[in-house]
């Protein structure tokens, strides 16, 4: 039997879950449910990352032992998974993995021993003892290079992490190192040979360019006098393993790597390799370090690594407990159904891109797409079947002459057209979901809803019902609407399990949607005469003003809820460092130059290689309010990575798909640690120099030159 193994990252046990954590779980849960529907034996892992200095510190602040701290946070995660229907009881995860589990210790020890005995592809020892000197961010659990921190103005103060804005720890001690620098070629070969190893493609390019930039050996232990809350290095308990070595290994220990009993219960042989779902902020650990550890240990590589974007607050900053701008799960759960939240997360966030969270947008989607869209289609269809057909699904058969008659009045009840449309939509939906393009997949489903809504409105069943001669047409319209609903339930089950199953039951259909493969749907298999069930509203309409007021008063002024365990004392907000010169041409500056230097020759202008580009991805970068990081297709084999100082005026999401003008032969330069391989052209005006991006009124292919 085919198997599939999907994982979320395991969450730090230092602070309580928020929307960002919930999102990864929703994506994983949806993916697992789709696979199960297809009859694939699926294992879904989530859990907590419980070791390390960050947990040790959170515990100390809260007056708990590290284990108590971990247990405390785990209880909240368990509560969240139950509340949002993600636990095993609701058909969600198969294991809630904890890195303090004894079988995990055994497995990690086994991996360490294998790495310690391994030679690198370049023939050196994979593990060696050395001395580490540098900066470490406890919140990221990562060593930081110069382009990853901001130096303090006061020389006595440590630099601060660019992501968390918290002070870094200075480290100077003996350490075990993993010889990562010897794995560059092997990693690049892996990315080359397996195009889908890291997805989306833009992330794969990013990872490959990081590796091409040169890898440094990685410190994989701390002295146990500095960090005691962790797994001791085998045969050398003076050292504690680096928490990422321990944490990443959970993906294999959970299914029995290094532990016979666990292997029998879960099945390493059966389920490995896994597909890892991660936020883009932890991609490097998964796509560079983890594959290299596995290569050293001689373990098969993961099935793939899929990175999603970040939920941002309304000001465009990544939501995080450290920044205190998270969306509270209690407020979400109180005002919105689980299905509405799942739908919103998958529909609103273009997968791989960052997305801004707003309660208003959530209410709008819940009202328009769910209450007025799917909910209304369901209730009107079922109510009409109850009213006009004594609650039984009528026959969908319609004679040629009635069909023609209906067509002449603008009503398309032709079975083959509808069946063809819906089958095609189903296939597109599947492809988009396979590519994690949930937003597009759901757009496709809503195009089905629009189509059937139109059929009903055109047909006016309430008028048809008044004329006995129109009985067949009435029945045909209602059958098609009901059959479409059945398909919608099957397709939408992984996204909205509760609501879909509810509509399915109201349609009078028995059994669970969890095992119905959308690929096996055949038009017309909804049995005639099915007795519809009790009709109840599935998506109640929300009063926007009242809901917003309630949310505002319930959440604290900042919309944040920080418990004593999460508050990080002494973490003032960073002052934005001097803005980096945005890589753009400003028309006003150009004018000034013309004024000074007079005319240029055409040959001078020809030196500037201006090309038509299309923005493929766009996102903000941490701690740079003005910069957008984009990948732009300018007709070359690979898209260009370009930074532009437009983030204050252009939403990242809205840039995707836009045609822009790119200076293609500008010398690449590094900004905030990212290489900018071109420049986006914009006009600028007003005192602030507001940028307005140059674009085209007509269609033009990517790569076309401007001359
Ligand atoms: N413990 C590590 C992962 C180890 S996996 C072997 C960790 N934990 S975390 O709790 O900080 O983050 C877990 C996941 O939550 C990451 O995928 C991260 O991207 C995700 N998110 C945290 N904040 C987020 C947003 N604001 N938006 C979307 N996802 C975010 O990293």
């Amino acid at each position: 039997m085919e198997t599939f193994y999907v994982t979320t990252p395991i969450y730090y046990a230092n602070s309580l879950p928020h929307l960002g954590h919930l999102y990864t779980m929703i994506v994983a849960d949806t993916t697992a449910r789709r696979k199960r529907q297809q009859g694939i034996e699926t294992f879904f892992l989530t859990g907590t990352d419980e070791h390390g200095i960050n947990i040790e510190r959170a515990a100390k602040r809260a007056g708990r032992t590290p284990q108590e701290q971990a247990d405390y946070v785990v209880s909240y995660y368990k509560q969240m998974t139950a509340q949002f229907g993600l636990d095993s009881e609701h058909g969600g995860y198969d294991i809630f993995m904890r890195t303090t589990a004894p079988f995990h210790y055994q497995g990690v020890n086994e991996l360490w021993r294998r790495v310690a005995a391994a030679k690198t592809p370049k023939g050196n020892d994979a593990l060696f003892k050395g001395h580490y000197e540098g900066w470490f961010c406890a919140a990221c659990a990562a060593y930081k290079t110069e382009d990853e921190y901001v130096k303090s103005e006061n020389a006595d103060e440590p630099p601060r992490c660019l992501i968390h804005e918290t002070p870094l720890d200075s480290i100077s001690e003996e350490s075990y190192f993993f010889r990562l620098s010897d794995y560059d070629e092997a990693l690049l070969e892996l990315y080359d040979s397996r195009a889908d190893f890291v997805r989306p493609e833009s992330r794969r390019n990013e990872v490959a360019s990081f590796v091409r930039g040169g890898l440094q050996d990685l410190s994989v232990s701390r002295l146990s006098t500095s960090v005691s809350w962790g797994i001791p290095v085998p045969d050398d308990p003076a050292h504690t393993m680096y928490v990422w070595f321990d944490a990443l290994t959970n993906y294999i220990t959970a299914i029995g790597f290094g532990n016979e009993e666990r292997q029998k219960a879960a099945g390493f042989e059966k389920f490995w390799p896994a597909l890892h779902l991660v936020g883009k902020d932890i991609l490097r650990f998964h796509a560079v370090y983890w594959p290299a550890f596995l290569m050293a240990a001689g373990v098969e590589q993961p099935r793939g690594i899929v990175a999603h974007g970040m939920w941002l607050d309304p000001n465009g900053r990544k939501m995080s407990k450290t920044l205190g701008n998270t969306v509270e799960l209690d407020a979400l759960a109180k005002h919105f159904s689980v299905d509405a939240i799942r739908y919103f997360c998958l529909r609103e966030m273009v997968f791989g891109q960052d997305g801004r969270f707003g309660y208003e947008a959530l209410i709008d989607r819940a009202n328009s797409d769910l209450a007025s869209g799917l909910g209304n289609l369901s209730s009107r269809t079922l109510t009409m079947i109850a009213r006009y057909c004594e609650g039984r699904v009528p026959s969908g058969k319609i004679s040629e002459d009635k069909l023609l008659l209906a067509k002449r009045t603008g009503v398309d009840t032709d079975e083959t057209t509808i069946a063809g449309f819906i089958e095609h939509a189903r296939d597109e939906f599947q492809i988009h979901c396979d590519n994690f393009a949930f937003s597009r997949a759901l757009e496709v489903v809503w195009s089905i809803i629009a189509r059937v809504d139109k059929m009903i409105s055109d047909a006016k069943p309430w008028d048809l019902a008044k004329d006995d001669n129109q009985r067949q047409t009435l029945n045909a319209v209602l059958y098609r609407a009901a059959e479409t609903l059945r398909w919608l339930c099957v397709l939408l089950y992984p996204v909205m399990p509760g609501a879909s199953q509810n509509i399915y039951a109201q349609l009078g259909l028995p059994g669970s949607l969890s095992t119905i493969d959308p690929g096996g749907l055949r038009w017309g298999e909804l049995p005639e005469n099915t007795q519809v069930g009790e009709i109840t509203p599935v998506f109640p309409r929300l009063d926007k003003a009242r809901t917003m007021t309630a949310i505002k008063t319930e959440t604290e002024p900042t919309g944040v809820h920080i418990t004593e365990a999460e508050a990080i004392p002494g973490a003032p907000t960073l002052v934005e460092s001097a803005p980096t010169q945005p890589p753009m041409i400003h028309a006003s500056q150009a004018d000034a130059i013309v004024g000074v230097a007079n005319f240029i020759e055409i040959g001078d202008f020809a030196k500037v290689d201006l090309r038509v580009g299309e923005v493929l991805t766009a996102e903000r970068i941490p701690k740079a309010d003005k910069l957008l990081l984009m990948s732009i297709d300018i007709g070359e084999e690979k898209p260009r990575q370009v930074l532009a100082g437009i983030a204050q005026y252009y939403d990242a999401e809205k840039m995707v798909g836009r045609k822009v003008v790119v200076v293609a032969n500008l010398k690449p330069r590094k900004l905030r640690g990212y290489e900018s391989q071109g420049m986006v052209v914009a006009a600028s005006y007003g005192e602030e120099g507001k940028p307005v991006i140059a674009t085209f009124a007509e269609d033009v292919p990517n790569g076309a030159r401007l001359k």
Side-chain angles (χ1 to χ4, degrees), residues 8-15 18-21 23-24 48-49 77 139-140 164 244 247-251 277-282 286 308-312 318-320 349:
T8 71
I10 48 170
Y11 304 93
Y12 286 132
N14 64 326
S15 63
H18 61 73
L19 176 73
H21 307 124
Y23 175 67
T24 322
T48 38
D49 182 355
Y77 269 97
C140 296
H164 292 93
W244 272 99
L248 287 162
T249 312
N250 96 90
Y251 298 133
L277 283 171
V278 299
K280 66 176 190 188
D281 54 336
I282 54 170
H286 285 81
H308 63 72
M310 295 291 116
W311 282 102
L312 310 176
K318 179 193 162 191
M319 249 176 225
S320 84
M349 181 90 118

Side-chain angles (χ1 to χ4, degrees), residues 205-278:
N205 297 337
E206 212 174 277
V207 169
S209 98
F210 172 75
V211 174
R212 268 196 296 272
L215 293 174
Q216 288 179 6
D217 294 336
L218 182 70
S219 161
V220 285
S221 76
R222 295 289 307 274
L223 285 179
S224 44
T225 43
S226 317
V227 180
S228 60
W229 181 239
I231 303 183
V233 165
D235 308 321
D236 194 354
H239 288 262
T240 306
M241 281 184 209
Y242 174 39
V243 65
W244 272 99
F245 188 94
D246 153 4
L248 287 162
T249 312
N250 96 90
Y251 298 133
I252 52 177
T253 60
I255 48 173
F257 177 85
N259 182 292
E260 221 16 68
E261 246 169 70
R262 184 82 211 139
Q263 148 70 15
K264 276 189 212 131
F268 176 75
E269 306 294 335
K270 186 169 171 186
F271 288 109
W272 187 253
L275 181 82
H276 300 312
L277 283 171
V278 299

Side-chain angles (χ1 to χ4, degrees), residues 180-492:
L180 188 63
S181 56
D182 270 10
Y183 286 84
D184 50 353
E185 284 162 21
L187 286 167
L188 290 171
E189 203 180 297
L190 172 67
Y191 310 144
D192 271 354
S193 62
R194 288 178 51 189
D196 61 353
F197 186 68
V198 179
R199 281 185 279 171
E201 205 193 339
S202 55
R203 297 278 166 231
R204 173 173 162 250
N205 297 337
E206 212 174 277
V207 169
S209 98
F210 172 75
V211 174
R212 268 196 296 272
L215 293 174
Q216 288 179 6
D217 294 336
L218 182 70
S219 161
V220 285
S221 76
R222 295 289 307 274
L223 285 179
S224 44
T225 43
S226 317
V227 180
S228 60
W229 181 239
I231 303 183
V233 165
D235 308 321
D236 194 354
H239 288 262
T240 306
M241 281 184 209
Y242 174 39
V243 65
W244 272 99
F245 188 94
D246 153 4
L248 287 162
T249 312
N250 96 90
Y251 298 133
I252 52 177
T253 60
I255 48 173
F257 177 85
N259 182 292
E260 221 16 68
E261 246 169 70
R262 184 82 211 139
Q263 148 70 15
K264 276 189 212 131
F268 176 75
E269 306 294 335
K270 186 169 171 186
F271 288 109
W272 187 253
L275 181 82
H276 300 312
L277 283 171
V278 299
K280 66 176 190 188
D281 54 336
I282 54 170
L283 181 59
R284 185 184 302 175
F285 301 92
H286 285 81
V288 181
Y289 302 170
W290 180 226
F293 295 158
L294 292 172
M295 279 177 196
V299 177
E300 194 184 338
Q301 291 298 322
R303 183 189 283 257
I305 299 143
V306 180
H308 63 72
M310 295 291 116
W311 282 102
L312 310 176
D313 68 15
N315 299 320
R317 300 200 321 165
K318 179 193 162 191
M319 249 176 225
S320 84
K321 287 278 177 189
T322 321
L323 294 178
N325 58 352
T326 57
V327 167
E328 262 196 76
L329 295 181
D330 281 350
L332 268 184
K334 181 166 175 196
H335 295 283
F336 304 93
S337 71
V338 168
D339 287 308
I341 297 165
R342 290 173 70 107
Y343 172 75
F344 177 80
C345 285
L346 296 174
R347 176 73 181 76
E348 194 77 4
M349 181 90 118
V350 175
F351 193 87
Q353 301 282 310
D354 292 345
R356 279 179 210 221
F357 177 87
Y359 282 109
E360 292 203 29
L362 172 51
I363 298 171
D364 289 343
R365 286 242 177 250
N367 282 344
S368 62
D369 299 9
L370 299 181
S372 307
L374 178 60
N376 187 45
L377 175 64
S378 163
S379 64
R380 78 199 291 213
T381 304
L382 296 172
T383 308
M384 289 190 287
I385 291 177
R387 187 171 303 153
Y388 306 131
C389 312
E390 292 164 355
R392 290 182 181 278
V393 172
S395 159
K397 292 190 185 68
I398 182 165
S399 61
E400 276 300 308
D401 56 328
K402 292 275 190 281
L403 186 68
L404 280 175
L405 189 71
K407 260 196 182 154
R408 242 176 271 137
T409 55
V411 183
D412 191 2
T413 51
D414 187 342
E415 190 123 50
T416 49
T417 340
I418 294 177
F421 177 82
I422 200 166
E423 273 164 16
H424 179 70
R426 179 261 319 266
D427 296 344
E428 271 193 79
F429 174 82
Q430 298 282 73
I431 291 167
H432 288 317
C433 286
D434 286 343
N435 292 329
F436 295 89
F438 298 109
S439 179
R440 286 205 187 153
L442 292 168
E443 268 174 38
V444 170
V445 169
W446 259 256
S447 75
I448 303 177
I449 295 176
R451 160 112 199 200
V452 176
D453 265 341
K454 182 172 178 323
M455 177 190 73
I456 297 175
S457 307
D458 289 347
K460 300 188 188 66
W462 42 93
D463 286 344
L464 297 176
K466 293 176 196 150
D467 181 355
D468 277 350
N469 226 355
Q470 296 282 19
R471 187 77 221 174
Q472 257 194 23
T473 311
L474 171 67
N475 287 353
V477 168
L478 293 181
Y479 182 85
R480 283 146 187 60
E483 174 63 335
T484 304
L485 264 186
R486 179 177 77 95
W487 280 57
L488 293 176
C489 291
V490 176
L491 292 182
L492 288 173

Side-chain angles (χ1 to χ4, degrees), residues 3-51:
T3 62
F4 182 79
Y5 178 22
V6 63
T7 66
T8 71
I10 48 170
Y11 304 93
Y12 286 132
N14 64 326
S15 63
L16 304 187
H18 61 73
L19 176 73
H21 307 124
L22 177 67
Y23 175 67
T24 322
M25 283 212 200
I26 290 176
V27 175
D29 184 76
T30 303
T31 306
R33 284 177 201 265
R34 287 192 63 235
K35 297 290 174 185
R36 289 185 182 127
Q37 270 192 317
Q38 291 162 19
I40 298 169
E41 193 176 350
T42 300
F43 195 83
F44 165 16
L45 170 147
T46 192
T48 38
D49 182 355
E50 305 189 1
H51 293 129

